[in-house]
Amino acid sequence: MLGQHLIEALKVRFPRARFVGIAGPRMVAAGCEAWEPAESLAVMGLVEILRHLPRLIGIRRRLVARLLADPPAVFVGIDAPEFNLGLAALLHQAGIPTVQYVSPQVWAWRQGRVKKIAAAVDRVLCLLPFEKQFYDDHAVKAVFVGHPLADEIPLEVDRFAARTALGLSADPCIAILPGSRHGEVSRLGADFARTIAWVAAHRPAMQFVAPMVNRRLRDEFAAFLETAGIAARVNLLDGQAHTAMAACDAVLLASGTATLEATLVKRPMVVAYRLNWLTTFILRLPGLVKSRFIAQPNLLANRRLVPEFVNEQVRPDVLGPALLEQIERPDRPELEAVFADIHRSLRRGASDRAAAAIVELLGEGHAAA
């Protein structure tokens, strides 16, 4: 999505520009020539990435060769910092302007990476307001552009229209989002399914919708629902995450960008995540992790707005009661007001601002490109 909207904004400024790289369907539709599918980078974790390392190194080696053979006017790495920053460093050494769009969570953990970032890229385009201050403090050029999701999602969503579109009754509803990657669904799917069973036993009238990113993950989660004996109670959707969130009363979801989406839709949520045991051990080493939170609304507010649970806490007897608390929380209007403030702070015309920052970079000694 970030790549799609950035390409569209850059095309306004450079109608004849050519776009190439790692791309998903939305970027391809916007005119990007896909040298690799975006899903080839859909790997998360520290230890979990090891078995994919030879393949990822091969992809990066091929990209470097092609880009050095036909140098682009600018290289933009979108998220995926462990992949993109190494690639950017090699291109930067060759004199190609480089940009990182979406800051690594360097403010949260492994802060020493800021030196690597400074050496690899000419600009960091930040989605979150506090990130620019961090880079300013470390003398790294950064621009706060806002978040495209905040531009895409309206400040007020029509709950009635969303419920009508999904064919829901007037009974309360919970949206379930176990993740957008295979690893997330495989680690969270069983506990999410059992949590649905727990809630259904305590609230028989509750409705459940689960928007899934693709057919593979839908089938995988459906198997967990079948095992938990709850498949008939859950309406599995192809996509439609925003509609599902808008229609529901609370959301159970994996930590990640979806927690920001739920914030922008102004819905209470319960956030969960599971990591490989060795990754968990590494992250618990003294001084490695600086952030107190994993959920985006908690990070942005710098306080615990919504409950978040990790590893051994992710189980039905914890998640189920937390969900019911979110549905029944008496301070819901105050929570929605905080979410609205966050939404407004991120609603900046991100894609246009990102494109303008790239144009400015090209004008700084790179006009020929």
Side-chain angles (χ1 to χ4, degrees):
M1 184 200 72
L2 295 174
Q4 173 202 355
H5 293 315
L6 179 59
I7 289 169
E8 291 168 349
L10 286 168
K11 275 186 171 181
V12 173
R13 294 160 172 83
F14 306 113
R16 294 186 295 159
R18 177 183 173 214
F19 300 88
V20 302
I22 296 180
R26 292 177 67 155
M27 287 175 65
V28 172
C32 185
E33 180 184 331
W35 287 355
E36 293 282 345
E39 61 201 35
S40 64
L41 300 188
V43 185
M44 289 189 71
L46 300 177
V47 177
E48 294 88 338
I49 204 171
L50 290 178
R51 66 188 180 92
H52 297 277
L53 207 52
R55 176 178 62 81
L56 295 171
I57 290 173
I59 293 173
R60 191 158 69 183
R61 187 179 294 120
R62 291 192 297 273
L63 283 172
V64 169
R66 294 185 73 169
L67 293 171
L68 291 181
D70 184 14
V74 61
F75 167 80
V76 182
I78 301 179
D79 209 359
E82 301 298 344
F83 183 91
N84 280 325
L85 289 176
L87 177 55
L90 294 170
L91 300 176
H92 193 260
Q93 291 170 11
I96 296 170
T98 54
V99 175
Q100 175 65 23
Y101 190 13
V102 183
S103 168
Q105 291 183 338
V106 66
W107 36 267
W109 70 295
R110 289 173 60 202
Q111 292 193 354
R113 288 179 295 168
V114 71
K115 296 178 181 178
K116 177 182 177 182
I117 295 169
V121 301
D122 297 293
R123 289 287 189 284
V124 180
L125 306 182
C126 303
L127 305 187
L128 309 178
F130 57 81
E131 293 173 328
K132 176 173 166 49
Q133 184 60 56
F134 175 86
Y135 285 109
D136 288 347
D137 293 342
H138 291 83
V140 177
K141 290 187 176 181
V143 179
F144 169 53
V145 300
H147 204 298
L149 275 176
D151 300 321
E152 187 172 278
I153 297 174
L155 286 170
E156 294 185 13
V157 297
D158 190 333
R159 184 170 180 268
F160 178 78
R163 292 177 75 89
T164 300
L166 297 181
L168 298 175
S169 71
D171 291 320
C173 175
I174 295 174
I176 313 291
L177 290 88
S180 59
R181 298 173 175 87
H182 164 70
E184 292 172 324
V185 176
S186 65
R187 287 191 295 269
L188 291 171
D191 287 300
F192 276 24
R194 288 194 289 267
T195 297
I196 294 170
W198 187 98
V199 173
H202 288 77
R203 296 288 190 278
M206 188 70 69
Q207 301 173 93
F208 303 92
V209 293
M212 306 304 297
V213 172
N214 56 45
R215 173 60 65 174
R216 177 191 178 193
L217 297 184
R218 174 178 173 143
D219 292 344
E220 188 172 355
F221 189 51
F224 286 122
L225 295 173
E226 195 68 43
T227 300
I230 202 73
R233 291 292 306 274
V234 182
N235 181 12
L236 292 171
L237 307 173
D238 294 320
Q240 304 183 75
H242 293 174
T243 303
M245 290 182 186
C248 74
D249 296 276
V251 189
L252 172 63
L253 71 174
S255 175
T257 303
T259 64
L260 178 61
E261 295 181 61
T263 302
L264 298 174
V265 178
K266 324 296 186 302
R267 291 295 176 265
M269 70 194 83
V270 173
V271 182
Y273 211 71
R274 278 191 182 278
L275 293 166
N276 174 287
W277 71 268
L278 185 53
T279 298
T280 302
F281 172 78
I282 292 170
L283 290 176
R284 286 175 176 169
L285 292 174
L288 189 63
V289 177
K290 304 294 184 182
S291 174
R292 296 183 296 152
F293 306 112
I294 61 171
Q296 291 273 14
N298 295 344
L299 284 168
L300 287 162
N302 196 29
R303 60 190 174 96
R304 191 179 185 271
L305 293 176
V306 299
E308 51 182 55
F309 303 101
V310 180
N311 291 348
E312 65 274 2
Q313 300 172 317
V314 180
R315 57 182 197 266
D317 63 310
V318 173
L319 300 180
L323 276 168
L324 296 184
E325 278 188 23
Q326 289 303 296
I327 290 175
E328 298 161 2
R329 58 186 296 169
D331 65 339
R332 188 178 184 121
E334 291 83 357
L335 178 70
E336 291 176 356
V338 175
F339 285 172
D341 287 341
I342 291 173
H343 196 160
R344 283 188 287 269
S345 74
L346 300 178
R347 195 178 175 88
R348 299 297 182 92
S351 300
D352 283 334
R353 289 167 70 95
I358 291 170
V359 171
E360 181 184 21
L361 172 63
L362 290 175
E364 296 178 3
H366 302 293

